[in-house]
mmCIF file of all heavy atoms in Angstrom:
data_model
loop_
_atom_site.group_PDB
_atom_site.id
_atom_site.type_symbol
_atom_site.label_atom_id
_atom_site.label_comp_id
_atom_site.label_asym_id
_atom_site.label_seq_id
_atom_site.Cartn_x
_atom_site.Cartn_y
_atom_site.Cartn_z
ATOM 1 N N MET H 249 -7.907 -32.163 -11.153
ATOM 2 C CA MET H 249 -7.658 -32.069 -9.776
ATOM 3 C C MET H 249 -6.802 -30.836 -9.487
ATOM 4 O O MET H 249 -7.034 -30.145 -8.589
ATOM 5 C CB MET H 249 -6.907 -33.361 -9.251
ATOM 6 C CG MET H 249 -6.762 -33.317 -7.817
ATOM 7 S SD MET H 249 -8.232 -33.268 -6.786
ATOM 8 C CE MET H 249 -8.849 -34.911 -7.106
ATOM 9 N N PRO H 267 -0.637 -16.639 2.837
ATOM 10 C CA PRO H 267 -0.766 -15.366 2.150
ATOM 11 C C PRO H 267 -1.898 -15.447 1.078
ATOM 12 O O PRO H 267 -2.071 -16.273 0.298
ATOM 13 C CB PRO H 267 0.584 -15.242 1.449
ATOM 14 C CG PRO H 267 1.515 -16.014 2.348
ATOM 15 C CD PRO H 267 0.710 -17.150 2.829
ATOM 16 N N LEU H 356 -2.742 5.658 -20.801
ATOM 17 C CA LEU H 356 -2.382 4.682 -19.730
ATOM 18 C C LEU H 356 -3.633 4.339 -18.938
ATOM 19 O O LEU H 356 -3.937 3.115 -18.666
ATOM 20 C CB LEU H 356 -1.280 5.232 -18.804
ATOM 21 C CG LEU H 356 -0.988 4.329 -17.577
ATOM 22 C CD1 LEU H 356 -0.429 2.950 -17.951
ATOM 23 C CD2 LEU H 356 0.078 5.126 -16.689
ATOM 24 N N LEU H 452 9.563 16.210 10.284
ATOM 25 C CA LEU H 452 8.323 15.518 10.087
ATOM 26 C C LEU H 452 7.735 14.901 11.440
ATOM 27 O O LEU H 452 6.585 14.615 11.525
ATOM 28 C CB LEU H 452 8.467 14.420 9.078
ATOM 29 C CG LEU H 452 8.841 14.862 7.591
ATOM 30 C CD1 LEU H 452 8.937 13.634 6.686
ATOM 31 C CD2 LEU H 452 7.942 15.915 7.040
ATOM 32 N N ARG H 491 -2.387 2.513 23.036
ATOM 33 C CA ARG H 491 -3.178 1.238 23.222
ATOM 34 C C ARG H 491 -2.732 0.184 22.245
ATOM 35 O O ARG H 491 -2.162 0.559 21.090
ATOM 36 C CB ARG H 491 -4.579 1.518 23.042
ATOM 37 C CG ARG H 491 -5.206 2.444 24.144
ATOM 38 C CD ARG H 491 -6.333 3.248 23.618
ATOM 39 N NE ARG H 491 -7.526 2.396 23.250
ATOM 40 C CZ ARG H 491 -8.582 2.859 22.542
ATOM 41 N NH1 ARG H 491 -8.516 4.192 22.156
ATOM 42 N NH2 ARG H 491 -9.427 2.023 22.146
#
Side-chain angles (χ1 to χ4, degrees):
M249 185 63 70
L356 173 63
L452 302 179
R491 294 151 59 195

